[in-house]
Amino acid sequence: MAIVAHKSKLGEIFWPLLAWVIALIFFFPIFWMVFTSFKTDADAVKPENLFVFKPTLDNYLNMTDNYDYWRFATNSVITSVFATSFALFVGVPAAYAMAFNPSRHTKDILVWMLSTKMLPAAAVLYPMTFLTKNFLQIYDTHFLVILVLCLINLPIVVWMLFTYFKEIPKEIIEAGKMDGVSTWGEIKDILIPLAWGGVASTALLCFIFCWNEAYWTVRLTTTEAATLSTLIEGNRAPEGLFFGRLSAVSTAAVAPIVILGWFCQKQLVQGLTFGAVK
């Protein structure tokens, strides 16, 4: 019994410590980016100023004048919000149909949707660029970026929503049908309220993917619809994100999504706790 108690006490110290070490390792690049953003360009590349330097806010103060940050940030917000909204607009009914009215092809469709994520993006870059530039005339527009972000994230949205909806007893939906509720009423008044946590989690994840998307936003935009990813890519240095001014831009691009994720996670936890108590 003494040996068991000793192992248990050791585990109480070891596992939390290991979790903190892993978390700090993953967080270190973000910390270093924020840390470097308070350096001048000269201090950022000098080894002797690696940790000891004179902090400055000039990188943040000059960011709007030199980089037109707010225009890129506005484009990121527009494309991410609308792409997430359209993905949910299509994904919720699709997942509802697959969860509560499955056919013999439902599993095949789900696997096919997931398989599209395995297609290398570079394989369709040239034909998409050629078509959007020369025929559709929608290159470097918000519509194109929103459409592409919506399509590439739609399989994940449908899969996540399908998983959440499958946990809801089918009898509840059938009871709604017996009461004369329409299909839209089932989704709006029964399904979404019961699975709101899953819908919110899916929306947040989709928004993060859209905000962080760099490959398509960089290659399908130039100026008009360019997002923060394009701004960072267009101003990166050969040394990477070590220059203070570029680190400030990167920090400003990461900060909104970190704050949004923290706020949404807090609201979700509070909502789930309140629902459990209630």
Side-chain angles (χ1 to χ4, degrees):
M1 295 297 294
I3 297 177
V4 174
H6 177 72
K7 288 184 178 180
S8 177
K9 189 174 296 185
L10 179 62
E12 291 178 359
I13 300 174
F14 174 76
W15 292 114
L17 181 62
L18 180 62
W20 273 103
V21 171
I22 295 175
L24 290 175
I25 291 174
F26 278 95
F27 178 75
F28 181 78
I30 298 177
F31 162 77
W32 193 254
M33 179 181 64
V34 177
F35 185 72
T36 307
S37 68
F38 295 102
K39 298 180 181 180
T40 62
D41 287 346
D43 290 341
V45 296
K46 291 180 180 179
E48 59 270 21
N49 292 330
L50 190 63
F51 295 104
V52 180
F53 62 93
K54 183 179 179 181
T56 178
L57 293 175
D58 290 343
N59 296 321
Y60 291 96
L61 297 176
N62 297 329
M63 188 167 53
T64 303
D65 297 333
N66 297 334
Y67 294 100
D68 198 10
Y69 169 81
W70 293 112
R71 180 172 66 86
F72 290 96
T74 301
N75 288 337
S76 290
V77 172
I78 292 173
T79 55
S80 299
V81 169
F82 279 95
T84 301
S85 300
F86 291 154
L88 290 176
F89 182 77
V90 177
V92 170
Y96 162 82
M98 293 179 181
F100 298 105
N101 298 288
S103 67
R104 60 190 182 93
H105 300 294
T106 297
K107 291 184 178 180
D108 297 332
I109 294 174
L110 287 170
V111 172
W112 171 77
M113 293 182 67
L114 188 62
S115 68
T116 60
K117 299 296 294 182
M118 303 177 189
L119 176 68
V124 295
L125 175 63
Y126 175 76
M128 182 175 291
T129 304
F130 180 79
L131 289 173
T132 54
K133 269 188 175 181
N134 301 304
F135 290 95
L136 302 178
Q137 302 296 324
I138 57 174
Y139 185 82
D140 193 23
T141 61
H142 290 101
F143 174 77
L144 176 61
V145 178
I146 291 170
L147 179 63
V148 171
L149 294 181
C150 175
L151 292 177
I152 64 177
N153 289 302
L154 190 58
I156 298 176
V157 170
V158 173
W159 264 90
M160 289 187 64
L161 292 176
F162 173 78
T163 303
Y164 286 117
F165 292 170
K166 285 289 288 184
E167 296 179 357
I168 298 176
K170 193 174 181 179
E171 291 76 10
I172 298 178
I173 304 297
E174 293 177 349
K177 291 181 179 180
M178 294 178 63
D179 292 337
V181 180
S182 63
T183 302
W184 170 242
E186 292 176 6
I187 296 175
K188 179 174 66 72
D189 299 326
I190 300 176
L191 189 64
I192 293 181
L194 290 175
W196 75 268
V199 175
S201 301
T202 303
L204 178 60
L205 185 64
C206 182
F207 184 88
I208 292 174
F209 284 163
C210 293
W211 185 277
N212 292 334
E213 177 60 37
Y215 184 84
W216 288 111
T217 55
V218 169
R219 287 156 180 81
L220 296 180
T221 62
T222 53
T223 55
E224 295 298 325
T227 62
L228 288 170
S229 298
T230 308
L231 173 64
I232 296 173
E233 174 66 19
N235 292 276
R236 66 183 179 89
E239 293 82 358
L241 299 179
F242 288 101
F243 284 116
R245 51 190 169 87
L246 188 53
S247 295
V249 174
S250 303
T251 301
V254 171
I257 201 67
V258 172
I259 296 173
L260 176 66
W262 173 82
F263 175 78
C264 291
Q265 181 267 346
K266 184 177 180 181
Q267 295 301 315
L268 282 173
V269 172
Q270 289 180 350
L272 292 174
T273 303
F274 176 76
V277 173
K278 184 176 179 181

